Amino acid sequence: MGSENVSKGQLWTGRVLSGLVILFLLFDGVIKFFLDKLSPEAQAEGAKLGYPPEVMPYIGTILIIITLLYAFPRTAVLGATLLTGYLGGAVATHVRVLNPLGSHILFPIYMGIILWAGIYLRFPKLRELTPWQK
């Protein structure tokens, strides 16, 4: 999937959207290795999610790997698909612990929308698969 038949505006908008998602998710993945270094308030917020601290580096590793898949054009669609599953798990986790709707539950959904908007704008072949074509 190359950038053929994509205007420069679409291509750069897609790159910026994808770049924002990539930066945020890489940061989120890396921070999972350093939860013990965070403030006590941040540690308490993380503990509220119910995952044992010793599994967080594994979750971070998975997130980093699938985010890198999304970052590279040849594997971007696979990465987007896997990240959609990951973000769905984040939504389910926040619903389970009764976190606030706007700030916690919907945030992974917003990330997923931005993630797919970025890839949609970058790859015209992906647009051929969407149900809202002419």
Short mmCIF file of all heavy atoms in Angstrom, two decimals, residues 40-81:
data_model
loop_
_atom_site.label_atom_id
_atom_site.label_comp_id
_atom_site.label_asym_id
_atom_site.label_seq_id
_atom_site.Cartn_x
_atom_site.Cartn_y
_atom_site.Cartn_z
N PRO A 40 3.09 8.33 44.09
CA PRO A 40 2.15 7.42 44.76
C PRO A 40 0.72 7.55 44.23
O PRO A 40 0.01 6.55 44.13
CB PRO A 40 2.24 7.84 46.23
CG PRO A 40 3.58 8.46 46.37
CD PRO A 40 3.87 9.12 45.05
N GLU A 41 0.32 8.76 43.84
CA GLU A 41 -1.03 8.95 43.29
C GLU A 41 -1.18 8.21 41.96
O GLU A 41 -2.20 7.58 41.71
CB GLU A 41 -1.32 10.45 43.08
CG GLU A 41 -1.33 11.26 44.35
CD GLU A 41 0.07 11.70 44.80
OE1 GLU A 41 1.01 11.71 43.99
OE2 GLU A 41 0.20 12.02 45.99
N ALA A 42 -0.18 8.32 41.11
CA ALA A 42 -0.21 7.64 39.82
C ALA A 42 -0.18 6.13 40.00
O ALA A 42 -0.86 5.39 39.29
CB ALA A 42 0.94 8.09 38.94
N GLN A 43 0.60 5.65 40.97
CA GLN A 43 0.64 4.21 41.25
C GLN A 43 -0.72 3.72 41.74
O GLN A 43 -1.17 2.64 41.35
CB GLN A 43 1.72 3.91 42.28
CG GLN A 43 3.12 4.07 41.74
CD GLN A 43 4.18 3.73 42.78
OE1 GLN A 43 3.96 2.91 43.66
NE2 GLN A 43 5.33 4.37 42.69
N ALA A 44 -1.37 4.51 42.58
CA ALA A 44 -2.69 4.12 43.10
C ALA A 44 -3.71 4.08 41.97
O ALA A 44 -4.55 3.18 41.92
CB ALA A 44 -3.13 5.10 44.18
N GLU A 45 -3.63 5.04 41.05
CA GLU A 45 -4.55 5.06 39.90
C GLU A 45 -4.34 3.82 39.03
O GLU A 45 -5.28 3.19 38.57
CB GLU A 45 -4.34 6.33 39.08
CG GLU A 45 -5.28 6.51 37.93
CD GLU A 45 -6.71 6.79 38.35
OE1 GLU A 45 -6.95 7.29 39.46
OE2 GLU A 45 -7.62 6.49 37.54
N GLY A 46 -3.08 3.46 38.81
CA GLY A 46 -2.77 2.26 38.03
C GLY A 46 -3.20 0.99 38.73
O GLY A 46 -3.72 0.07 38.10
N ALA A 47 -3.02 0.94 40.04
CA ALA A 47 -3.42 -0.25 40.81
C ALA A 47 -4.92 -0.45 40.77
O ALA A 47 -5.40 -1.58 40.84
CB ALA A 47 -2.94 -0.11 42.25
N LYS A 48 -5.66 0.64 40.62
CA LYS A 48 -7.12 0.56 40.56
C LYS A 48 -7.60 -0.26 39.36
O LYS A 48 -8.69 -0.83 39.38
CB LYS A 48 -7.69 1.98 40.49
CG LYS A 48 -9.17 2.08 40.71
CD LYS A 48 -9.60 3.52 40.85
CE LYS A 48 -9.99 4.06 39.51
NZ LYS A 48 -10.63 5.38 39.58
N LEU A 49 -6.77 -0.36 38.33
CA LEU A 49 -7.15 -1.12 37.14
C LEU A 49 -7.18 -2.62 37.40
O LEU A 49 -7.79 -3.37 36.65
CB LEU A 49 -6.23 -0.79 35.97
CG LEU A 49 -6.25 0.65 35.50
CD1 LEU A 49 -5.24 0.86 34.38
CD2 LEU A 49 -7.64 1.08 35.08
N GLY A 50 -6.48 -3.06 38.44
CA GLY A 50 -6.57 -4.46 38.83
C GLY A 50 -5.53 -5.39 38.23
O GLY A 50 -5.60 -6.60 38.43
N TYR A 51 -4.57 -4.86 37.50
CA TYR A 51 -3.52 -5.71 36.94
C TYR A 51 -2.35 -5.76 37.90
O TYR A 51 -1.91 -4.73 38.40
CB TYR A 51 -3.04 -5.18 35.58
CG TYR A 51 -4.10 -5.24 34.52
CD1 TYR A 51 -4.73 -4.09 34.06
CD2 TYR A 51 -4.48 -6.46 33.97
CE1 TYR A 51 -5.71 -4.15 33.09
CE2 TYR A 51 -5.46 -6.53 33.00
CZ TYR A 51 -6.06 -5.37 32.55
OH TYR A 51 -7.03 -5.43 31.60
N PRO A 52 -1.80 -6.94 38.16
CA PRO A 52 -0.62 -7.03 39.04
C PRO A 52 0.54 -6.25 38.43
O PRO A 52 0.76 -6.29 37.21
CB PRO A 52 -0.30 -8.52 39.09
CG PRO A 52 -1.51 -9.21 38.58
CD PRO A 52 -2.23 -8.25 37.68
N PRO A 53 1.31 -5.53 39.25
CA PRO A 53 2.42 -4.73 38.72
C PRO A 53 3.43 -5.53 37.91
O PRO A 53 4.00 -5.02 36.95
CB PRO A 53 3.08 -4.16 39.99
CG PRO A 53 2.03 -4.21 41.04
CD PRO A 53 1.15 -5.38 40.71
N GLU A 54 3.61 -6.80 38.25
CA GLU A 54 4.61 -7.59 37.53
C GLU A 54 4.22 -7.93 36.09
O GLU A 54 5.07 -8.33 35.29
CB GLU A 54 4.97 -8.86 38.30
CG GLU A 54 3.83 -9.78 38.61
CD GLU A 54 3.11 -9.47 39.93
OE1 GLU A 54 3.40 -8.45 40.57
OE2 GLU A 54 2.24 -10.27 40.30
N VAL A 55 2.94 -7.78 35.72
CA VAL A 55 2.54 -8.05 34.34
C VAL A 55 2.61 -6.80 33.46
O VAL A 55 2.55 -6.90 32.24
CB VAL A 55 1.13 -8.68 34.23
CG1 VAL A 55 1.03 -9.95 35.04
CG2 VAL A 55 0.05 -7.70 34.58
N MET A 56 2.76 -5.64 34.07
CA MET A 56 2.74 -4.40 33.30
C MET A 56 3.87 -4.31 32.26
O MET A 56 3.62 -3.86 31.14
CB MET A 56 2.74 -3.19 34.23
CG MET A 56 1.48 -3.11 35.09
SD MET A 56 -0.07 -3.31 34.19
CE MET A 56 -0.17 -1.74 33.37
N PRO A 57 5.10 -4.77 32.55
CA PRO A 57 6.11 -4.75 31.48
C PRO A 57 5.74 -5.63 30.29
O PRO A 57 6.07 -5.29 29.14
CB PRO A 57 7.38 -5.26 32.18
CG PRO A 57 7.17 -4.90 33.61
CD PRO A 57 5.69 -5.08 33.85
N TYR A 58 5.03 -6.72 30.52
CA TYR A 58 4.58 -7.57 29.40
C TYR A 58 3.54 -6.84 28.56
O TYR A 58 3.59 -6.88 27.32
CB TYR A 58 4.01 -8.89 29.92
CG TYR A 58 5.03 -9.73 30.65
CD1 TYR A 58 4.92 -9.94 32.01
CD2 TYR A 58 6.11 -10.29 29.98
CE1 TYR A 58 5.85 -10.70 32.70
CE2 TYR A 58 7.05 -11.05 30.65
CZ TYR A 58 6.91 -11.26 32.01
OH TYR A 58 7.85 -12.01 32.68
N ILE A 59 2.63 -6.17 29.24
CA ILE A 59 1.62 -5.39 28.52
C ILE A 59 2.31 -4.27 27.74
O ILE A 59 1.97 -4.00 26.58
CB ILE A 59 0.55 -4.85 29.50
CG1 ILE A 59 -0.26 -6.01 30.08
CG2 ILE A 59 -0.37 -3.84 28.80
CD1 ILE A 59 -1.22 -5.61 31.18
N GLY A 60 3.29 -3.61 28.36
CA GLY A 60 4.04 -2.56 27.68
C GLY A 60 4.78 -3.09 26.46
O GLY A 60 4.81 -2.43 25.41
N THR A 61 5.37 -4.26 26.58
CA THR A 61 6.09 -4.87 25.44
C THR A 61 5.14 -5.13 24.29
O THR A 61 5.45 -4.83 23.13
CB THR A 61 6.78 -6.18 25.88
OG1 THR A 61 7.69 -5.88 26.94
CG2 THR A 61 7.51 -6.84 24.73
N ILE A 62 3.98 -5.70 24.59
CA ILE A 62 2.98 -5.97 23.55
C ILE A 62 2.57 -4.67 22.87
O ILE A 62 2.51 -4.59 21.64
CB ILE A 62 1.77 -6.71 24.15
CG1 ILE A 62 2.17 -8.12 24.56
CG2 ILE A 62 0.60 -6.73 23.17
CD1 ILE A 62 1.16 -8.83 25.44
N LEU A 63 2.30 -3.66 23.68
CA LEU A 63 1.88 -2.37 23.12
C LEU A 63 2.97 -1.77 22.23
O LEU A 63 2.67 -1.27 21.14
CB LEU A 63 1.50 -1.40 24.24
CG LEU A 63 1.06 0.00 23.80
CD1 LEU A 63 -0.10 -0.07 22.81
CD2 LEU A 63 0.69 0.83 25.02
N ILE A 64 4.20 -1.82 22.66
CA ILE A 64 5.30 -1.27 21.85
C ILE A 64 5.43 -2.03 20.53
O ILE A 64 5.56 -1.42 19.46
CB ILE A 64 6.62 -1.29 22.64
CG1 ILE A 64 6.56 -0.27 23.79
CG2 ILE A 64 7.82 -1.04 21.73
CD1 ILE A 64 7.67 -0.41 24.82
N ILE A 65 5.36 -3.33 20.58
CA ILE A 65 5.50 -4.14 19.36
C ILE A 65 4.39 -3.84 18.36
O ILE A 65 4.64 -3.59 17.18
CB ILE A 65 5.56 -5.65 19.69
CG1 ILE A 65 6.88 -5.97 20.39
CG2 ILE A 65 5.38 -6.49 18.42
CD1 ILE A 65 6.93 -7.36 20.99
N ILE A 66 3.14 -3.83 18.83
CA ILE A 66 2.06 -3.60 17.87
C ILE A 66 2.01 -2.14 17.40
O ILE A 66 1.59 -1.88 16.28
CB ILE A 66 0.69 -4.11 18.37
CG1 ILE A 66 0.24 -3.43 19.65
CG2 ILE A 66 0.73 -5.62 18.54
CD1 ILE A 66 -1.12 -3.89 20.16
N THR A 67 2.48 -1.22 18.23
CA THR A 67 2.57 0.17 17.79
C THR A 67 3.64 0.31 16.71
O THR A 67 3.45 1.04 15.73
CB THR A 67 2.88 1.10 18.98
OG1 THR A 67 1.82 0.99 19.94
CG2 THR A 67 2.99 2.55 18.53
N LEU A 68 4.75 -0.40 16.86
CA LEU A 68 5.78 -0.38 15.82
C LEU A 68 5.27 -1.02 14.53
O LEU A 68 5.61 -0.56 13.43
CB LEU A 68 7.06 -1.07 16.31
CG LEU A 68 7.82 -0.29 17.38
CD1 LEU A 68 9.00 -1.13 17.91
CD2 LEU A 68 8.29 1.06 16.87
N LEU A 69 4.45 -2.05 14.64
CA LEU A 69 3.83 -2.62 13.44
C LEU A 69 3.00 -1.56 12.72
O LEU A 69 3.01 -1.45 11.50
CB LEU A 69 2.96 -3.83 13.79
CG LEU A 69 3.69 -5.11 14.16
CD1 LEU A 69 2.69 -6.15 14.66
CD2 LEU A 69 4.48 -5.65 12.98
N TYR A 70 2.27 -0.77 13.49
CA TYR A 70 1.45 0.30 12.93
C TYR A 70 2.33 1.40 12.31
O TYR A 70 1.94 2.01 11.32
CB TYR A 70 0.56 0.89 14.02
CG TYR A 70 -0.28 2.07 13.57
CD1 TYR A 70 -1.34 1.91 12.69
CD2 TYR A 70 0.00 3.35 14.03
CE1 TYR A 70 -2.11 2.98 12.29
CE2 TYR A 70 -0.77 4.44 13.63
CZ TYR A 70 -1.82 4.25 12.76
OH TYR A 70 -2.58 5.32 12.36
N ALA A 71 3.49 1.63 12.88
CA ALA A 71 4.36 2.73 12.43
C ALA A 71 4.97 2.48 11.06
O ALA A 71 5.27 3.44 10.33
CB ALA A 71 5.47 2.96 13.46
N PHE A 72 5.17 1.23 10.68
CA PHE A 72 5.82 0.92 9.42
C PHE A 72 4.77 0.64 8.35
O PHE A 72 3.87 -0.18 8.56
CB PHE A 72 6.78 -0.26 9.56
CG PHE A 72 7.94 0.05 10.46
CD1 PHE A 72 7.98 -0.42 11.76
CD2 PHE A 72 8.97 0.86 10.00
CE1 PHE A 72 9.04 -0.11 12.60
CE2 PHE A 72 10.05 1.18 10.83
CZ PHE A 72 10.08 0.69 12.13
N PRO A 73 4.88 1.30 7.19
CA PRO A 73 3.85 1.17 6.15
C PRO A 73 3.52 -0.26 5.74
O PRO A 73 2.35 -0.59 5.52
CB PRO A 73 4.44 1.96 4.97
CG PRO A 73 5.31 2.98 5.62
CD PRO A 73 5.90 2.29 6.82
N ARG A 74 4.52 -1.12 5.66
CA ARG A 74 4.26 -2.50 5.20
C ARG A 74 3.39 -3.29 6.16
O ARG A 74 2.72 -4.25 5.77
CB ARG A 74 5.57 -3.23 4.94
CG ARG A 74 6.35 -2.66 3.77
CD ARG A 74 7.65 -3.40 3.54
NE ARG A 74 7.50 -4.75 3.05
CZ ARG A 74 7.33 -5.09 1.77
NH1 ARG A 74 7.25 -4.15 0.86
NH2 ARG A 74 7.23 -6.34 1.42
N THR A 75 3.42 -2.94 7.43
CA THR A 75 2.65 -3.68 8.44
C THR A 75 1.62 -2.80 9.16
O THR A 75 1.07 -3.19 10.18
CB THR A 75 3.61 -4.28 9.48
OG1 THR A 75 4.41 -3.24 10.06
CG2 THR A 75 4.50 -5.36 8.86
N ALA A 76 1.34 -1.62 8.59
CA ALA A 76 0.48 -0.65 9.27
C ALA A 76 -0.95 -1.16 9.47
O ALA A 76 -1.54 -0.94 10.53
CB ALA A 76 0.46 0.66 8.49
N VAL A 77 -1.50 -1.85 8.51
CA VAL A 77 -2.88 -2.33 8.65
C VAL A 77 -2.95 -3.43 9.72
O VAL A 77 -3.87 -3.44 10.54
CB VAL A 77 -3.45 -2.81 7.30
CG1 VAL A 77 -4.82 -3.44 7.46
CG2 VAL A 77 -3.52 -1.65 6.31
N LEU A 78 -1.99 -4.32 9.74
CA LEU A 78 -1.93 -5.33 10.79
C LEU A 78 -1.80 -4.65 12.15
O LEU A 78 -2.50 -4.99 13.10
CB LEU A 78 -0.75 -6.29 10.56
CG LEU A 78 -0.49 -7.30 11.69
CD1 LEU A 78 -1.69 -8.22 11.89
CD2 LEU A 78 0.78 -8.09 11.40
N GLY A 79 -0.90 -3.68 12.25
CA GLY A 79 -0.73 -2.95 13.50
C GLY A 79 -2.01 -2.25 13.92
O GLY A 79 -2.37 -2.26 15.10
N ALA A 80 -2.70 -1.62 12.98
CA ALA A 80 -3.96 -0.94 13.30
C ALA A 80 -5.00 -1.92 13.81
O ALA A 80 -5.74 -1.63 14.76
CB ALA A 80 -4.47 -0.19 12.07
N THR A 81 -5.06 -3.08 13.19
CA THR A 81 -6.02 -4.10 13.63
C THR A 81 -5.70 -4.57 15.04
O THR A 81 -6.59 -4.67 15.89
CB THR A 81 -6.00 -5.28 12.64
OG1 THR A 81 -6.26 -4.79 11.32
CG2 THR A 81 -7.03 -6.33 13.01
#
